[in-house]
């Protein structure tokens, strides 16, 4: 299977910038860790791909972005974290949802109505926060709308995940943004290229045919498109046993004593990766003593 990666590019005339990513392995890892049903794999995978694309816009590797898709559909909230180094993780409230119409995954109905929230930690005193309503639930057009209304950046987003049961056949997407000062001719040419692509096929089918991220951007942005940066994309979680211990300690002495008396141990499960951290009764007693001291 092809290694996941993302690229950043600029058009020949310098008026359009583009981002594209192949995220098949990332989405497969998320499916495996959360046991997502196909429609949830598609929704979580599209959001994770968007996280990888936004990660490419961050200026430093340590900068982070958190995306929350808060819809009222049966899958609940989708949360994705990504950084400037290509690390992505994600979770969903309810992984076990079936929502198909005529054998087609109905992602819009599974996501429902609500809002998209994007928080960027750029190392400043306060993080940047943006929000916009969910307009379709299919997510690509929802993120397109988000960039237009919340960040005032004319953009076009395409996201695709091709699912077969528990197998992710392919996943990826693109984000095209018009630079300030672009002429009407440039905008019209770009809109035509995107429209023609959408008429012919879907992003997931195109990627399944073997089209690379580079080829995808050239199709949309034209010949002479220059690839400025390429980086690997991978699943990565920040959880650890030490962080889980700190979380237990924050519960306080009484709550820890209650855990010890009722269960004799504690299990901490990471919301993002489902990694389990077990703490024995002896370990809980040590944490309680630390809390007392």
């Amino acid at each position: 299977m092809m290694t996941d990666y993302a690229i950043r590019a600029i058009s020949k005339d310098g008026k359009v910038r583009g981002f594209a990513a192949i995220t098949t392995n990332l989405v497969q890892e998320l499916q495996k860790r959360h046991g997502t049903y196909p429609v949830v794999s598609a929704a979580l995978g599209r959001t994770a791909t968007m996280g990888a694309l936004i990660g490419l816009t961050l200026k430093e590797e340590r900068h982070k972005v958190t995306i929350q898709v808060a819809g009222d559909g049966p899958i609940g909230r989708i949360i994705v974290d990504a950084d400037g180094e290509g690390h992505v993780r994600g979770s969903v409230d309810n992984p076990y949802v079936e929502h198909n119409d005529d054998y087609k995954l109905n992602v819009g109905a599974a996501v429902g109505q609500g809002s998209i929230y994007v928080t960027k930690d750029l190392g400043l005193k306060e993080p940047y926060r943006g929000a916009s309503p969910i307009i379709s639930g299919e997510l690509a057009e929802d993120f397109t709308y988000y960039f237009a209304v919340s960040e005032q950046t004319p953009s076009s987003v395409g996201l695709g995940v091709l699912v077969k049961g528990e197998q992710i056949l392919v996943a990826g997407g693109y984000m095209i943004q018009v630079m300030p000062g672009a002429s009407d001719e440039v905008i019209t040419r770009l809109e035509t290229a995107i429209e023609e692509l959408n008429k012919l096929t879907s992003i997931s089918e195109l990627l399944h045919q073997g089209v690379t991220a580079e080829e995808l951007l050239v199709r949309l942005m034209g010949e002479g498109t220059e690839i400025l940066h390429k980086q690997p994309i991978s699943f990565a979680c920040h959880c650890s046993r030490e962080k889980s211990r700190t979380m237990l300690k924050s519960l306080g002495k009484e709550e820890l004593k209650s855990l010890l008396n009722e269960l004799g141990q504690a299990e901490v499960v990471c919301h993002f990766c489902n990694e389990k951290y077990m703490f024995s009764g002896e370990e809980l007693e040590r944490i309680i003593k630390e809390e007392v001291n």
Side-chain angles (χ1 to χ4, degrees), residues 30 32 40 55 61 77 96 110 144 150 171 176 178 189 219 244:
L30 290 170
K32 185 175 73 173
V40 187
E61 292 181 350
R77 287 181 313 158
Y96 315 120
T144 297
S150 188
I176 307 292
V178 178
R189 187 174 68 241
R219 282 198 187 197
S244 298

Side-chain angles (χ1 to χ4, degrees), residues 87-107:
H87 299 138
V88 185
R89 63 179 185 170
S91 68
V92 61
D93 283 349
N94 184 8
Y96 315 120
V97 171
E98 292 185 9
H99 223 304
N100 307 337
D101 289 339
D102 298 325
Y103 304 101
K104 184 176 182 292
L105 299 179
N106 193 337
V107 175

Side-chain angles (χ1 to χ4, degrees), residues 26 47-48 51-52 64-68 79-83 86-91 119 234 236-238 272:
L26 166 65
T47 309
K64 297 177 182 178
V65 61
T66 298
I67 300 171
Q68 182 180 167
I79 299 178
V80 165
D81 279 350
D83 62 24
H87 299 138
V88 185
R89 63 179 185 170
S91 68
T119 303
S234 62
C237 193
H238 318 307
F272 280 103

